[in-house]
Amino acid sequence: MRLKNSINNMIYGLTGQIISIVMSFIVRTVFIYTLGIEYLGVEGLFSSILLMLSLANLGFDTAMIYSMYKPLADKDKYKIQALMNLYKKAYRLIGFVVFIIGLAIVPILPNLMNGTTSVEHINIIYMLFLLNSASSYYFVYKQSIIIADQKNYIISKVHTKFVIISNVIQVILLISTRNYIVVLIIQILFRIIENIYLAKKANDLYPFLKVKNKAKLTNEEKKDFFENLYSLLLYKISGVVINGTDNIIIAAFLGIAIVGIYSNYLLILMTLSTLLSYIFYSVTASVGNLHVTESTEKKYFIFRVIHFLNFWTYGFCVICLWNLLNPFITLWLGEAYVFDKLIVLCILFNFLTAGMQNASTIYRETTGLFKKGKYRPIIAAVINIVASLLLVNNLGLAGVFLGTVFSRLCTYFWFDPYVIFKYLFQRSVQSYFKNYIFYFLLIIAIAYLTDLLGSYILVHNPMLNFIFRGILCLIVPNLVFFILFRRSEELKYVLNLMKKMIPINVNRRKGLSS
């Protein structure tokens, strides 16, 4: 069942994300040509501000999903009801807190933008962003039980349908009205309707959630839950600071237009990250179930498989991005929207170091090891802000990303695997770091080789050059990876899983056609 659910989560998640990618690029292209780069910068800045406000979440979502693994495995309905009651109260309070803090930021909005902006009704736009963020907390909490029960594919299917309809309407409105406020109102309406629909879906899947009850956690259970929550809060603070301050620092030091240009790169990277996350996020609940049911050796082997798959997918993506990112943006928007190679290198370095942490992050969050070294995330957040502020003055935009990378390498890079190997696997962590360094150097070498091969054959037509480099990126890294790792246990396991996926997909198609 773990395998089937993981595969379902992966397939539906990837399919939905591919559709979202196509729709996002269509909307983004129309957005730029109808409203301009400044509106794009404003959207990037406000999104980062609201990401900072999501600190009010306190890590409740992760703590709740982690707490549900065991009661779901034990079919303990009473404890699930008690957890959902707690979650409901907490999220309604969180939504209110987010809205109040968001209101307090309105007077200082001009100070967050370097220079003036021609964007009209800036306060109204911000308020709509705030309303969109705060309102989601009142409906989204019931999705946690679906995720913890390894059925995230249900959410993916629903979300894909809403993305298609919402984006089509947004494109029509952008072309016909060129009114950003109307577009934002449509986004809010569709997000609220989607969350209400998914809440009803959760009630249908788990009818005991509809029953009025006064289920409560015991004092011991509450103590354990809030201890987990406190540890996760610190991770939440760190994650939000590391991921959410870049646009704010760029806007304050380099200007809102640079945020707009970077937002195009960020759209591609975030879309790709979300796409890849479905590969790994689809197995998260299964790892949580694995932790409470399987042996240490099995846990260790699955960790190695996830880490290997993590290297292959992110390595392949970084090689493609190094060769294709600037050519793609040139074809898409023009050379005026392209950064130089040094900035692109720093952006990709940040993307790769974040992505290579996936295996450690999954095991940290699903095994309760987030309690270990719980103050380290705060150190990471402080290092990130200080380093980015120092480097942006000397290196400009590249310095912002290098500051983020530096903070990650000083903390998450070494501590998470150390804790996992020491407390979960009871073995030395040296093998992990040796593999990590080997993987990392291999990715750099193949990226350089692919770029070198692409430069040998000059193709003057930009589109043909992009296609030629794309073919090289598809063949060279995957061929080298396969030759080097064809006899590894990890690759054999992944290939075996892929074989098992085929009959599952065939059976699903038969079921749909009958």
Side-chain angles (χ1 to χ4, degrees):
M1 183 58 71
R2 274 201 306 263
L3 175 62
K4 183 178 180 181
N5 285 331
S6 293
I7 291 172
N8 280 333
N9 290 338
M10 190 181 301
I11 291 172
Y12 283 108
L14 287 172
T15 303
Q17 191 56 31
I18 289 170
I19 293 171
S20 294
I21 289 171
V22 175
M23 298 304 298
S24 294
F25 277 104
I26 293 172
V27 173
R28 176 60 60 102
T29 304
V30 174
F31 192 107
I32 290 172
Y33 286 108
T34 55
L35 296 178
I37 195 67
E38 275 203 85
Y39 276 90
L40 211 56
V42 167
E43 185 177 74
L45 175 61
F46 288 173
S47 296
S48 294
I49 292 171
L50 292 173
L51 177 61
M52 298 294 289
L53 289 183
S54 71
L55 278 174
N57 182 327
L58 298 173
F60 248 96
D61 48 358
T62 307
M64 188 60 61
I65 292 169
Y66 170 72
S67 299
M68 282 189 187
Y69 291 140
K70 194 171 188 312
L72 279 168
D74 296 340
K75 302 187 186 306
D76 187 347
K77 294 181 181 179
Y78 182 86
K79 188 168 182 180
I80 294 171
Q81 287 176 328
L83 286 166
M84 292 302 291
N85 289 340
L86 175 63
Y87 203 20
K88 178 181 179 180
K89 292 177 183 177
Y91 254 38
R92 288 184 174 177
L93 177 61
I94 289 167
F96 177 74
V97 170
V98 166
F99 188 73
I100 295 302
I101 297 176
L103 284 178
I105 292 175
V106 173
I108 65 170
L109 282 179
N111 298 328
L112 298 176
M113 290 179 270
N114 185 8
T116 59
T117 176
S118 61
V119 176
E120 297 178 346
H121 310 298
I122 198 82
N123 287 343
I124 294 175
I125 292 172
Y126 173 76
M127 287 300 299
L128 288 171
F129 266 86
L130 178 60
L131 184 61
N132 191 14
S133 177
S135 63
S136 66
Y137 289 100
Y138 287 84
F139 308 103
V140 77
Y141 70 95
K142 283 193 177 179
Q143 294 179 30
S144 62
I145 188 172
I146 300 175
I147 297 169
D149 202 23
Q150 308 172 59
K151 295 178 181 177
N152 198 46
Y153 59 89
I154 294 172
I155 298 174
S156 297
K157 287 193 288 186
V158 173
H159 180 65
T160 300
K161 294 174 184 176
F162 275 89
V163 163
I164 293 172
I165 298 171
S166 172
N167 284 338
V168 168
I169 294 174
Q170 286 179 57
V171 167
I172 293 171
L173 288 172
L174 280 169
I175 294 172
S176 61
T177 70
R178 295 176 178 258
N179 191 319
Y180 188 36
I181 291 175
V182 174
V183 172
L184 288 174
I185 291 172
I186 290 297
Q187 288 179 7
I188 294 170
L189 289 175
F190 270 87
R191 184 167 188 175
I192 291 173
I193 294 170
E194 179 184 348
N195 287 330
I196 291 174
Y197 181 85
L198 284 169
K200 184 178 181 301
K201 190 72 176 177
N203 286 339
D204 294 339
L205 290 169
Y206 311 96
F208 58 88
L209 294 181
K210 294 187 288 186
V211 178
K212 288 187 177 181
N213 65 85
K214 296 183 179 180
K216 293 182 179 180
L217 299 175
T218 65
N219 290 334
E220 188 63 31
E221 288 170 338
K222 284 182 181 178
K223 180 182 177 182
D224 185 56
F225 176 82
F226 283 104
E227 283 179 357
N228 293 338
L229 181 62
Y230 177 63
S231 300
L232 286 165
L233 165 62
L234 302 179
Y235 279 98
K236 181 76 173 180
I237 292 171
S238 176
V240 167
V241 170
I242 289 175
N243 297 314
T245 55
D246 285 353
N247 274 341
I248 296 173
I249 292 174
I250 294 168
F253 284 83
L254 304 174
I256 200 75
I258 299 297
V259 177
I261 296 174
Y262 170 56
S263 69
N264 296 317
Y265 285 82
L266 189 61
L267 171 68
I268 296 170
L269 294 176
M270 290 302 294
T271 301
L272 192 56
S273 292
T274 305
L275 185 66
L276 293 175
S277 73
Y278 277 105
I279 298 175
F280 300 100
Y281 189 59
S282 61
V283 303
T284 299
S286 298
V287 171
N289 180 266
L290 178 85
H291 175 60
V292 297
T293 59
E294 298 290 351
S295 66
T296 300
E297 284 302 315
K298 181 67 177 288
K299 296 172 191 174
Y300 175 56
F301 177 69
I302 296 300
F303 176 87
R304 284 165 44 203
V305 170
I306 295 173
H307 185 52
F308 173 76
L309 187 60
N310 197 46
F311 142 71
W312 190 310
T313 52
Y314 273 88
F316 170 68
C317 289
V318 165
I319 292 165
C320 290
L321 289 167
W322 176 248
N323 285 273
L324 302 173
L325 189 54
N326 272 358
F328 174 77
I329 291 179
T330 301
L331 287 170
W332 177 32
L333 301 171
E335 291 186 1
Y337 292 86
V338 171
F339 287 136
D340 64 48
K341 277 280 192 177
L342 174 62
I343 294 174
V344 175
L345 178 65
C346 294
I347 290 172
L348 294 184
F349 193 23
N350 185 26
F351 174 78
L352 181 60
T353 54
M356 288 286 282
Q357 292 293 118
N358 272 336
S360 298
T361 301
I362 289 171
Y363 269 69
R364 183 191 72 210
E365 292 186 352
T366 56
T367 59
L369 288 173
F370 43 74
K371 296 179 183 178
K372 304 292 182 182
K374 56 189 176 185
Y375 294 107
R376 176 183 45 83
I378 301 300
I379 298 172
V382 172
I383 293 174
N384 177 73
I385 293 175
V386 173
S388 294
L389 289 174
L390 289 174
L391 293 174
V392 72
N393 286 317
N394 297 314
L395 299 175
L397 188 58
V400 178
F401 306 119
L402 288 178
T404 302
V405 171
F406 181 70
S407 70
R408 188 177 294 117
L409 293 178
C410 288
T411 51
Y412 292 103
F413 164 70
W414 66 272
F415 191 83
D416 281 355
Y418 167 75
V419 168
I420 292 166
F421 274 72
K422 180 178 180 180
Y423 294 99
L424 186 62
F425 303 144
Q426 287 97 44
R427 61 178 68 221
S428 172
V429 74
Q430 287 184 4
S431 60
Y432 170 85
F433 288 123
K434 286 179 182 177
N435 284 334
Y436 190 106
I437 293 170
F438 175 68
Y439 291 158
F440 196 84
L441 294 176
L442 183 61
I443 292 167
I444 293 173
I446 298 175
Y448 175 77
L449 173 64
T450 309
D451 194 19
L452 192 64
L453 290 172
S455 64
Y456 273 136
I457 302 177
L458 295 175
V459 181
H460 296 292
N461 184 291
M463 179 61 75
L464 291 177
N465 180 62
F466 181 81
I467 294 171
F468 172 68
R469 281 183 170 266
I471 293 170
L472 277 178
C473 290
L474 187 64
I475 295 172
V476 174
N478 288 312
L479 182 61
V480 174
F481 290 163
F482 181 78
I483 291 171
L484 290 176
F485 300 104
R486 66 188 185 281
R487 295 179 181 174
S488 69
E489 292 180 344
E490 292 86 351
L491 182 57
K492 289 178 181 177
Y493 182 84
V494 171
L495 292 175
N496 187 46
L497 277 183
M498 293 174 69
K499 291 177 183 177
K500 290 181 179 179
M501 287 171 65
I502 296 173
I504 290 176
N505 289 325
V506 171
N507 291 335
R508 182 185 294 112
R509 291 192 186 97
K510 287 180 180 179
L512 290 172
S513 61
S514 60

